[in-house]
Amino acid sequence: MGVRLNEVSDQKDALPLRKRLRRTAGGIFAELRLIRLGGERGKLCAETVASVVLAVFLADIFNLKERWWVALSAYVLIRANPRVVFQRCLERLAGTVIGAIGGALLAALVFQHAWLTIAVLALVSGLGIYCMLGSPYAYSWILGTVTALMVLSDSVSVAFQTNLAINRILDVTVGVIATATISAVSFCVGRLPRSDSLSVSASSPEARGPQETLAPPILGQSRSTRIWQATQGTIAIAVVGVVNHFHALPNFAQSMVSVIAVLLVPLSVLVGGQVTEAVYMRMLNRLLGCLCAASLAAPLLPLIGGTPLLCLVVLGAGVWLAAHVQAGSAEVSYIGTQFGVGFIMIFVQDHAWSTDASAALQRLMGIVVALFVLAATMAAFSAVSRKMSLHDRRAV
């Protein structure tokens, strides 16, 4: 009953789409009016840009194939508090290593068995979602889950699954090194004596940066909600897998990653019973952020893609803007995150700078497909929940 009552409550409190969009647009414009190059927020944006640029530079030095994943790893790790940065670096690295090894082992077991692979992908997704919700190690769980899914899904097209796992670990390691380096340098510079008093308290919103991980352990009464979320994720991944089996999706791996990402909600929401509304908002914000990035970056790429230095400058500008919105209010922070994800996907190509955005647009299309599948799955679950609640009330 706990889950079904939460679902009904979500439906009552849900905002119409028009009001959601209006509130979101207002929040974005409010953040854009606060743009400043200086201050703690400007410093955080500069650190984010420096981390992404250094990650791309290192990816080129080590000749890593998926440069965009290296850059994304650096982009999502930066926070104003160095201690939080290093904790997130360790969690991302640990989750990636465990997920890559687990994905490779599973790939060896189900190799060339398409339907068994889909079933395993769905089960891994459900287990990962259940474990990450409310866990103090949620970031490790989500990275372990998505890495396992990516290695397992890509294994059907390669002869050696071990290489996939190693490449994933190398990509994230380089991104972590870039982030840790920039954060350490910034921390050391910040410790130098200064004559001004512009520092911001560590408890202020600007000093904290975006808050997306979950701190305390989950409470027992929300276990049923975790099961509900995990079941929806399992079904959505299974549907995406079946669709991909009969008609190859633009980017199957990104579709699965999107399902996992939007189902990760804060602990306060999980316990408070507004899960469905929160997930729908995350879906909307992920969609809006990626579409805005594509509409802005895709037309620019053919014009400047042949000039690496110009690409870096525009990439830096886009990442700076994304980091500024990401560090803002909770209502639009996730849009900033997804805008940065989409911008990096388009400008940072697999092998080198290029004017061809087709691969990046395929990844973004994979995200869109996944969100529609998840929305349909959640709508079906909500319909079932309402019928069950109605039946229970009539029985009483």
Side-chain angles (χ1 to χ4, degrees):
M1 280 294 292
V3 173
R4 296 198 293 272
L5 289 176
N6 285 345
E7 293 298 314
V8 173
S9 175
D10 281 351
Q11 293 298 324
K12 289 181 180 179
D13 297 333
L15 288 174
L17 180 59
R18 182 181 301 177
K19 288 187 177 180
R20 281 200 194 115
L21 293 174
R22 187 183 303 125
R23 189 173 70 181
T24 299
I28 291 176
F29 285 124
E31 295 299 334
L32 293 179
R33 285 195 293 268
L34 296 175
I35 288 181
R36 301 289 186 277
L37 294 179
E40 286 296 315
R41 195 163 173 179
K43 174 175 170 287
L44 180 62
C45 295
E47 291 175 3
T48 307
V49 173
S51 296
V52 171
V53 172
L54 179 59
V56 174
F57 179 71
L58 293 176
D60 288 338
I61 290 179
F62 294 110
N63 196 28
L64 298 180
K65 177 183 176 182
E66 296 189 324
R67 301 156 73 238
W68 65 277
W69 190 254
V70 180
L72 279 181
S73 296
Y75 166 68
V76 299
L77 288 173
I78 279 291
R79 294 294 183 271
N81 188 330
R83 182 178 300 176
V84 175
V85 173
F86 289 114
Q87 178 184 344
R88 287 172 63 83
C89 286
L90 291 175
E91 289 189 26
R92 187 174 184 94
L93 190 56
T96 299
V97 170
I98 295 172
I101 294 174
L105 292 175
L106 289 173
L109 294 175
V110 302
F111 187 62
Q112 296 298 339
H113 294 82
W115 292 108
L116 184 57
T117 300
I118 293 174
V120 172
L121 287 171
L123 291 176
V124 169
S125 302
L127 177 63
I129 293 169
Y130 179 83
C131 292
M132 73 184 182
L133 287 173
S135 169
Y137 307 105
Y139 196 56
S140 291
W141 274 111
I142 190 172
L143 261 298
T145 302
V146 301
T147 302
L149 294 179
M150 295 171 79
V151 171
L152 183 55
S153 63
D154 290 341
S155 65
V156 297
S157 59
V158 299
F160 302 101
Q161 295 84 12
T162 306
N163 292 341
L164 287 174
I166 293 175
N167 290 337
R168 283 295 170 196
I169 294 173
L170 289 176
D171 291 342
V172 171
T173 300
V174 171
V176 165
I177 290 174
T179 301
T181 300
I182 295 301
S183 183
V185 170
S186 177
F187 175 74
C188 293
V189 172
R191 300 283 291 182
L192 296 176
R194 296 191 303 173
S195 58
D196 58 81
S197 58
L198 296 178
S199 61
V200 179
S201 170
S203 61
S204 68
E206 286 194 351
R208 289 197 305 266
Q211 303 294 307
E212 60 192 46
T213 55
L214 311 174
I218 193 72
L219 301 179
Q221 61 264 34
S222 59
R223 183 173 292 117
S224 58
T225 307
R226 295 167 70 193
I227 295 174
W228 184 266
Q229 289 288 92
T231 304
Q232 290 183 117
T234 301
I235 298 300
I237 294 293
V239 172
V240 171
V242 171
V243 172
N244 182 72
H245 177 73
F246 289 104
H247 183 76
L249 294 175
N251 194 289
F252 181 38
Q254 281 304 307
S255 296
M256 293 188 294
V257 171
S258 293
V259 171
I260 303 298
V262 299
L263 287 173
L264 179 62
V265 295
L267 179 63
S268 58
V269 173
L270 196 65
V271 177
Q274 298 297 316
V275 178
T276 302
E277 173 70 7
V279 173
Y280 277 130
M281 283 300 299
R282 286 175 69 84
M283 282 195 289
L284 178 63
N285 289 347
R286 188 174 179 89
L287 182 63
L288 289 175
C290 289
L291 291 180
C292 287
S295 62
L296 179 62
L300 291 174
L301 191 62
L303 300 177
I304 63 176
T307 310
L309 180 59
L310 194 53
C311 277
L312 275 178
V313 171
V314 177
L315 172 65
V319 170
W320 198 97
L321 179 62
H324 173 82
V325 177
Q326 180 182 241
S329 66
E331 286 192 350
V332 298
S333 175
Y334 196 58
I335 291 182
T337 302
Q338 298 310 313
F339 179 86
V341 168
F343 212 87
I344 290 172
M345 278 185 177
I346 291 176
F347 269 92
V348 184
Q349 304 293 323
D350 282 340
H351 296 283
W353 302 108
S354 171
T355 59
D356 183 14
S358 59
L361 293 177
Q362 285 183 348
R363 295 188 194 107
L364 296 178
M365 184 58 65
I367 292 174
V368 174
V369 170
L371 296 182
F372 277 107
V373 171
L374 180 58
T377 302
M378 292 177 61
F381 270 63
S382 296
V384 172
S385 175
R386 287 194 297 270
K387 288 185 179 180
M388 294 175 69
S389 298
L390 181 60
H391 179 269
D392 289 345
R393 287 198 295 269
R394 287 178 177 175
V396 173

